[in-house]
Amino acid sequence: MGIDGFVCWTAHAVDDPAELRRVLDAQLPTGSRAVADAQRAGLLEGTRLRAPGLAAAHRFAEESGLPMAGPTDAIADFTTLLDGLDAAERERRRFEPDAVPDGFERVTPSVDRYDRSYHTVNVAKEYPSGTTVELNYRSRDPSHGGGRKPNVSSAVLWLRGTDVAYEHHVEWDEG
């Protein structure tokens, strides 16, 4: 996580793409190439952080004892939920409610018109800064008409109310 986390932490603090490259060239032997590596890893889109990049920046700040500018409680909760979704996807299992940090309120999901079996985790939290973190997750049985298929998990995770809104979509087959 070291170099990628540092690149993301720096990108979070520096808005100007040319300035970001200048700072990284001065700080790292790989310089601007580190930006390209972070882009290939899905952490940056151009020089703007994507949701996994924000999580990497926060982890880097936490591990390094460096400050993380912005609404840190919201970023920490967003990162925790993102890590939980990544673990569930990697392990091909459903996301469990015990992975949700304290203080989130449950949001009532809408009813599916096909009346299939669902496991849902729909939560949201608003912070004093006006920032909001929201997760809409469901595990559904895609089988109909007799054939049995593995459940499909899908989730959308949002962080809103910061300089940039982050949205993370993920879907996987459970197994």
Side-chain angles (χ1 to χ4, degrees):
M1 179 52 54
I3 297 293
D4 284 344
F6 176 74
V7 169
C8 292
W9 179 78
T10 306
H12 181 68
V14 178
D15 292 332
D16 180 51
E19 179 67 9
L20 175 63
R21 284 180 165 70
R22 189 192 68 69
V23 168
L24 292 175
D25 283 338
Q27 297 291 321
L28 299 172
T30 57
S32 296
R33 194 173 61 210
V35 173
D37 292 344
Q39 290 168 339
R40 277 192 295 281
L43 303 173
L44 296 174
E45 186 171 312
T47 57
R48 289 180 47 144
L49 286 172
R50 297 184 68 231
L54 180 64
H58 188 75
R59 277 192 300 273
F60 176 82
E62 207 171 81
E63 291 168 3
S64 304
L66 295 169
M68 184 75 182
T72 56
D73 290 343
I75 292 169
D77 287 345
F78 178 84
T79 301
T80 299
L81 290 169
L82 185 63
D83 289 347
L85 289 171
D86 287 347
E89 179 184 17
R90 190 174 46 258
E91 296 166 12
R92 298 185 63 211
R93 61 172 171 78
R94 72 183 193 182
F95 179 83
E96 296 294 340
D98 60 355
V100 176
D102 292 336
F104 276 78
E105 295 180 21
R106 293 194 72 62
V107 177
T108 305
S110 59
V111 176
D112 183 70
R113 62 187 170 136
Y114 297 110
D115 195 30
R116 294 189 197 131
S117 171
Y118 284 96
H119 162 75
T120 61
V121 179
N122 296 300
V123 294
K125 184 175 180 181
E126 188 168 335
Y127 301 82
S129 65
T131 305
T132 304
V133 174
E134 183 177 349
L135 169 66
N136 291 336
Y137 166 84
R138 73 179 181 176
S139 170
R140 66 179 170 82
D141 178 359
S143 308
H144 36 127
R148 182 82 177 119
K149 297 178 183 175
N151 281 8
V152 176
S153 279
S154 60
V156 182
L157 176 61
W158 293 274
L159 173 63
R160 299 182 187 106
T162 60
D163 293 339
V164 177
Y166 295 94
E167 188 172 308
H168 179 70
H169 294 261
V170 64
E171 183 171 300
W172 67 93
D173 290 335
E174 297 172 27

